[in-house]
Amino acid sequence: PDKVKAFLNPDIKCLYPPETLPGTRQAAELIAHHALAGKSIVIYGDYDVDGIAGTAILWHVLSLAGARVSNYVPHRLEEGYGLNSEALRQLRGQGADLVITVDCGITAVEQALLAKQIGLSLVITDHHRLEGSLPEADAIVHPLIDPGYPNPNLCGAGVAFKLAWALARILSRSERVRPHFREFLVDAVGLVALATIADIVPLVDENRILARFGLAGLATTRLTGVTALIEAAGLTDQKVNTE
């Protein structure tokens, strides 16, 4: 009965604490260290909706923290999916100190070794199936690394959202994040909803909560890019649903 009630009436308060997602605390502490030290951080996101939404989430929260942050999205046809060695060399040559992947990287064993060789810190956030050995990154955030995490179906942007939430807590030095972080995280749920639906992950558990409240919040979003997408789709002042 409790599961039925939770399914029919999703409650935002039922989201699992971000630190319960495997690898999140270690990654957030490492990212916070780089941000506060003024190091150059690059978010390396996949080129689909999930990757772009997750990249935007981490870019926004780090920008609010005053970090030196930029993003890199590989060219779909010229570079293909995932981390590639040439891009890592290029980013390091441009002064990057830390690369954070979004929606990719869990199979990038060779690229992780290269990052270490060229002095580039690497945090991998992903949700794709684990295959063989894990990359030797400085931190890995992934819902399947620990089978104890209740929602193995989190999308890439959902993983990024949990990391952004944990990072905001560390930078706020409290579980209750500062107002500017809180305002953004509310808007970020809309980005997670877009990614959750576009990536066709099961709409159960946390995913259902994120989709339900994210869609409802799109009508009042403060994110300029999302507003532009709604206008381009001819959905201004209309209810946005999964379709």
Side-chain angles (χ1 to χ4, degrees):
D2 288 341
K3 289 185 177 180
V4 172
K5 185 182 294 184
F7 182 85
L8 295 175
N9 301 286
D11 188 343
I12 196 75
K13 295 179 181 178
C14 291
L15 290 177
Y16 305 119
E19 294 81 7
T20 61
L21 179 64
T24 300
R25 186 183 297 275
Q26 179 184 355
E29 289 175 351
L30 179 65
I31 295 168
H33 172 75
H34 278 76
L36 294 173
K39 300 289 187 178
S40 174
I41 301 173
V42 179
I43 304 164
Y44 189 113
D46 189 21
Y47 42 67
D48 66 0
V49 176
D50 195 15
I52 295 292
T55 297
I57 290 169
L58 287 175
W59 184 89
H60 275 288
V61 79
L62 283 166
S63 295
L64 288 172
R68 291 175 56 203
V69 60
S70 59
N71 66 81
Y72 183 92
V73 177
H75 190 284
R76 183 168 192 152
L77 299 180
E78 295 178 5
E79 297 175 84
Y81 169 78
L83 273 178
N84 72 79
S85 298
E86 184 56 38
L88 290 179
R89 291 192 184 92
Q90 176 184 324
L91 293 172
R92 183 57 175 155
Q94 294 171 349
D97 298 296
L98 169 65
V99 166
I100 308 168
T101 75
V102 174
D103 194 29
C104 64
I106 199 61
T107 60
V109 174
E110 293 182 10
Q111 289 76 13
L113 288 174
L114 172 64
K116 187 174 294 186
Q117 292 169 3
I118 61 178
L120 186 61
S121 296
L122 179 64
V123 170
I124 291 175
T125 79
D126 202 350
H127 73 119
H128 291 98
R129 186 171 58 185
L130 306 178
E131 297 179 4
S133 301
L134 293 176
E136 294 183 22
D138 294 274
I140 298 177
V141 185
H142 195 297
L144 295 176
I145 288 179
D146 183 348
Y149 189 68
N151 182 21
N153 298 310
L154 207 58
C155 70
V159 174
F161 173 77
K162 288 300 186 74
L163 177 57
W165 185 2
L167 183 58
R169 282 182 165 185
I170 288 176
L171 294 172
S172 300
R173 298 182 180 180
S174 169
E175 287 190 5
R176 185 176 178 81
V177 302
R178 294 172 184 168
H180 63 296
F181 286 131
R182 189 181 312 116
E183 288 179 5
F184 167 67
L185 289 172
V186 169
D187 276 336
V189 176
L191 290 172
V192 180
L194 290 175
T196 297
I197 293 161
D199 228 45
I200 322 177
V201 294
L203 291 181
V204 295
D205 203 270
E206 274 188 312
N207 294 350
R208 190 170 181 83
I209 298 171
L210 292 164
R212 160 70 177 82
F213 287 91
L215 285 175
L218 288 178
T220 57
T221 184
R222 286 161 289 201
L223 298 176
T224 304
V226 176
T227 300
L229 285 172
I230 291 172
E231 290 176 357
L235 295 172
T236 303
D237 297 327
Q238 295 186 41
K239 184 177 180 180
V240 179
N241 59 27
T242 53
E243 185 172 346

